[in-house]
Amino acid sequence: DGGITQSPKYLFRKEGQNVTLSCEQNLNHDAMYWYRQDPGQGLRLIYYSQIVNDFQKGDIAEGYSVSREKKESFPLTVTSAQKNPTAFYLCASNPRYTPGGYTFGSGTRLTVV
Amino acid sequence: AQTVTQSQPEMSVQEAETVTLSCTYDTSESDYYLFWYKQPPSRQMILVIRQEAYKQQNATENRFSVNFQKAAKSFSLKISDSQLGDAAMYFCAYMEENSGGSNYKLTFGKGTLLTVNP
């Protein structure tokens, strides 16, 4: 079945460490997105990518980095520069010329310990 | 920048009753899309309903319908015959029209937590 796979479901990180969240899709979608969800804050856009080897910053990109070496994959790295990384992270994708055709992954809960 | 405001952090409804969730947005664009997403306790985001701004007719999906008031920039969601499975966080979202390709960024409101009482 086609979909988006985010892994791991839960992730624990020590302060000062970088950590990478995985997002893989087999939907042949062009665009991929990373959102961060905090209680009472809704979803906020971190980074997005329209095509391979190209990506743009969203509203809260500081302390995060991404890559898009393959169409299927859009990993997010939470760096030690991110001051408050504990949050729920959602990956999404959508096909070309299909506004609103988002497919979401099931999310990764990151906790800094 | 576009903003989406959901003024009701929490709402509750009795099973089988009707409830309306409010959403307003701010944009200078004339062509755009509006959405309601549902996030149950599993945290999986589920698209509930979608509205194109150029359509005057309000969208309807089974028990879910919207009241789209373009001039007022209002987009409320009505849930009829509420069921226990409707209990979830509901997010209103805005998407700007983009004729150039595949980049469609969603801007979300902060959400309304809906409780359904048996």
Side-chain angles (χ1 to χ4, degrees):
Chain A
D1 289 339
I4 294 184
T5 302
Q6 288 189 245
S7 61
K9 191 174 180 69
Y10 299 96
L11 190 56
F12 296 88
R13 188 196 90 175
K14 292 183 179 180
E15 281 193 31
Q17 288 182 338
N18 292 354
V19 63
T20 298
L21 282 60
S22 171
C23 178
E24 303 277 336
Q25 54 103 354
N26 60 3
L27 300 164
N28 199 33
H29 286 178
D30 295 290
M32 298 187 73
Y33 309 81
W34 273 105
Y35 285 88
R36 170 179 171 143
Q37 184 177 13
D38 296 281
Q41 291 295 320
L43 279 70
R44 293 179 290 170
L45 182 63
I46 305 172
Y47 267 99
Y48 60 99
S49 169
Q50 301 179 65
I51 57 172
V52 174
N53 293 324
D54 185 58
F55 48 83
Q56 288 80 40
K57 293 181 178 180
D59 301 318
I60 56 165
E62 184 176 352
Y64 299 97
S65 66
V66 294
S67 63
R68 187 85 186 276
E69 297 177 1
K70 299 186 301 182
K71 187 176 185 178
E72 302 78 19
S73 179
F74 191 42
L76 174 73
T77 297
V78 184
T79 74
S80 57
Q82 169 50 233
K83 292 182 173 57
N84 186 19
T86 294
F88 186 66
Y89 292 86
L90 279 163
C91 180
S93 70
N94 78 280
R96 190 178 288 272
Y97 306 120
T98 309
Y102 269 43
T103 299
F104 281 90
S106 56
T108 293
R109 172 67 184 178
L110 172 63
T111 303
V112 174
V113 297
Chain B
Q2 288 78 15
T3 58
V4 178
T5 302
Q6 293 179 250
S7 59
Q8 306 151 317
E10 297 184 25
M11 292 281 285
S12 64
V13 63
Q14 291 295 126
E15 197 175 4
E17 297 290 309
T18 296
V19 64
T20 298
L21 308 184
S22 301
C23 174
T24 58
Y25 57 95
D26 183 28
T27 184
S28 58
E29 303 294 327
S30 58
D31 294 324
Y32 49 87
Y33 303 85
L34 295 164
F35 307 86
W36 279 98
Y37 279 88
K38 170 184 177 180
Q39 188 181 45
S42 67
R43 306 199 80 169
Q44 180 69 48
M45 294 290 284
I46 302 165
L47 177 64
V48 175
I49 202 164
R50 155 188 160 150
Q51 175 81 43
E52 290 89 345
Y54 65 86
K55 291 186 178 179
Q56 294 187 349
Q57 186 173 6
N58 289 324
T60 299
E61 289 287 342
N62 300 313
R63 297 182 294 106
F64 298 86
S65 62
V66 299
N67 183 6
F68 173 48
Q69 301 289 328
K70 190 172 185 179
K73 297 180 182 176
S74 171
F75 183 60
S76 61
L77 175 69
K78 185 172 80 171
I79 306 174
S80 303
D81 185 25
S82 296
Q83 300 175 0
L84 295 177
D86 295 333
M89 181 71 82
Y90 286 82
F91 292 99
C92 179
Y94 166 97
M95 177 180 283
E96 193 172 303
E97 171 66 41
N98 179 353
S99 59
S102 63
N103 174 26
Y104 295 100
K105 295 182 290 177
L106 278 172
T107 300
F108 289 86
K110 294 185 177 182
T112 296
L113 181 62
L114 179 66
T115 302
V116 180
N117 300 310

